Amino acid sequence: MTRMGGGFGRRLYGNFLVEAAVISQKMKRPIKLVYTREDDMTNGVYRPAYRVSYRAAIDANNNITAFHVNAGGITESPLFANRFPAGAIDNYLAESWTIDSSISTGAFRAPRSNFIAGAEQSFLDELAEEVGKDPIQFRLDMLKRAKNDPVGEENDYDPARYAGVLELVRDKAGWNNGNSTSSKGVAAYYCHNSYVAQILEMDLKDNEPVIDRVTCAVDCGIVVNPDAAKNMVEGGTIDGIGHALYSELSFKDGGVQQNNFDSYRLIRHREAPKKIDVHFVENGIDPTGLGEPPFPPVQGALANALYKATGKRIYKQPFLPEINAESRELKT
């Protein structure tokens, strides 16, 4: 299958097939079309650009009484209005917007979820800190409300399964044992009908994140092929970390400025987590998606760990340039 498998969205688009066919038709003979990387990166289909803002209201007893998310992008919005924390808060408002562009955009691994999960999970940690709660317990309390006394009837996630991966990752990572000196961040997300929670442990060395371990808890129903499933979770985790930290495309006068891997930064082997522990929930439910769900939440876990390590919230991806900018400001 040329359309899928290692394409990460690129193979969904067949413009190269059309171009080869047209050239072959003009030449009246079979041809072989090979793009240079510069060709592909400067005339390609790009990941949409997203922006999201959050607000919340807290009462005198440190209860979250209102939640507002406003999300949009070029040329689509990353918002899934009925996902968590919809159903867990009495006053919940989700707003969406889009901007048209002549720049071609298309699917990127875990479409739309790939950005908003990290932003959402980072904001939930901010709220947990504001009300003085453990980040995992804060999420579990909200999920308990969504399970026992849900707000609305169109929430598109199962609170019990969502809570299950958070409880599993908390236990497997030793979240509360206090023995680790590394900075820890947690995140959990539901997409492609699967639930993933991750705890990332890292240190900062010379302003570079060194990731010691990522613990993953996954509820994707029945795991048909355990080795392949583990590989997909590991790969999605590394991919999510790499794009959150390093990868950036910028445009000037309508053209992309990065045209090869000397200017477009990908994660290196030495920058991958030293260890990735993967644990699956065994529940006998029909299998669901797995290639994409591990990608989005790890970006939130990374953002939350970076906050623990630096004391600064980072609001723009990729994270590394902002980490280095903060360092330069401190030195001056």
Side-chain angles (χ1 to χ4, degrees):
M1 292 176 63
T2 59
R3 291 186 63 218
M4 301 297 291
F8 306 103
R10 177 64 180 95
R11 293 185 186 177
L12 290 173
Y13 308 96
N15 59 297
F16 45 89
L17 301 174
V18 175
E19 184 174 348
V22 170
I23 294 171
S24 177
Q25 183 184 48
K26 298 292 185 183
M27 297 290 292
K28 294 182 169 51
R29 66 185 62 191
I31 64 105
K32 180 178 181 180
L33 173 66
V34 179
Y35 287 173
T36 65
R37 187 168 287 123
E38 288 82 1
D39 284 338
D40 205 26
M41 290 185 70
T42 56
N43 294 280
V45 179
Y46 302 103
R47 175 186 185 178
Y50 299 125
R51 181 180 178 88
V52 60
S53 61
Y54 292 93
R55 297 188 299 167
I58 304 170
D59 68 15
N61 297 317
N62 281 333
N63 297 310
I64 308 300
T65 58
F67 191 96
H68 176 211
V69 52
N70 181 286
I74 306 170
T75 56
E76 66 180 17
S77 171
L79 182 66
F80 295 88
N82 295 325
R83 288 186 183 173
F84 181 76
I89 299 169
D90 288 321
N91 303 291
Y92 173 82
L93 176 63
E95 297 180 309
S96 182
W97 52 270
T98 60
I99 297 175
D100 292 333
S101 173
S102 59
I103 297 171
S104 55
T105 60
F108 188 82
R109 189 172 189 171
R112 298 163 62 196
S113 301
N114 54 38
F115 169 78
I116 200 167
E120 171 200 282
Q121 292 296 305
S122 183
F123 182 66
L124 290 179
D125 256 40
E126 290 193 62
L127 284 180
E129 183 178 34
E130 187 68 26
V131 301
K133 281 189 175 183
D134 172 82
I136 294 181
Q137 191 58 50
F138 176 74
R139 290 165 170 81
L140 290 174
D141 290 344
M142 295 178 72
L143 289 163
K144 183 178 180 180
R145 165 70 193 280
K147 177 184 177 183
N148 296 334
D149 185 23
V151 180
E153 298 178 353
E154 297 182 3
N155 307 314
D156 63 0
Y157 63 95
D158 184 330
R161 295 179 71 182
Y162 209 128
V165 291
L166 275 166
E167 293 168 341
L168 180 60
V169 81
R170 178 187 60 190
D171 296 341
K172 295 297 184 180
W175 174 257
N176 293 319
N177 63 20
N179 294 331
S180 174
T181 59
S182 298
S183 299
K184 294 181 179 180
V186 64
Y189 198 68
Y190 162 79
C191 69
H192 298 82
N193 295 319
S194 293
Y195 303 79
V196 177
Q198 291 159 317
I199 290 175
L200 183 145
E201 302 173 44
M202 58 153 286
D203 297 290
L204 271 184
K205 295 182 180 178
D206 298 324
N207 294 317
E208 292 278 346
V210 177
I211 300 171
D212 300 311
R213 180 173 69 147
V214 181
T215 306
C216 310
V218 182
D219 183 347
C220 60
I222 297 169
V223 178
V224 177
N225 185 329
D227 286 342
K230 183 173 180 287
N231 289 341
M232 281 195 281
V233 176
E234 292 171 337
T237 298
I238 295 170
D239 202 18
I241 291 169
H243 285 288
L245 279 175
Y246 307 113
S247 302
E248 180 177 29
L249 284 174
S250 56
F251 290 80
K252 183 178 181 180
D253 299 327
V256 67
Q257 293 180 288
Q258 295 79 16
N259 64 10
N260 210 318
F261 292 143
D262 60 337
S263 53
Y264 180 74
R265 178 81 157 82
L266 291 172
I267 192 170
R268 315 294 193 218
H269 285 285
R270 61 178 174 81
E271 294 158 345
K274 293 181 174 62
K275 186 176 183 181
I276 301 176
D277 293 329
V278 182
H279 306 275
F280 293 100
V281 175
E282 298 181 8
N283 52 22
I285 296 174
D286 289 348
T288 51
L290 190 54
E292 297 176 284
F295 182 96
V298 75
Q299 302 181 43
L302 174 61
N304 292 328
L306 283 168
Y307 170 68
K308 298 286 181 62
T310 65
K312 296 279 188 178
R313 282 283 173 193
I314 299 175
Y315 294 108
K316 182 181 178 181
Q317 286 190 11
F319 296 148
L320 193 61
E322 196 163 339
I323 297 170
N324 292 334
E326 292 282 356
S327 175
R328 287 193 295 271
E329 288 179 12
L330 291 173
K331 288 179 181 178
T332 55

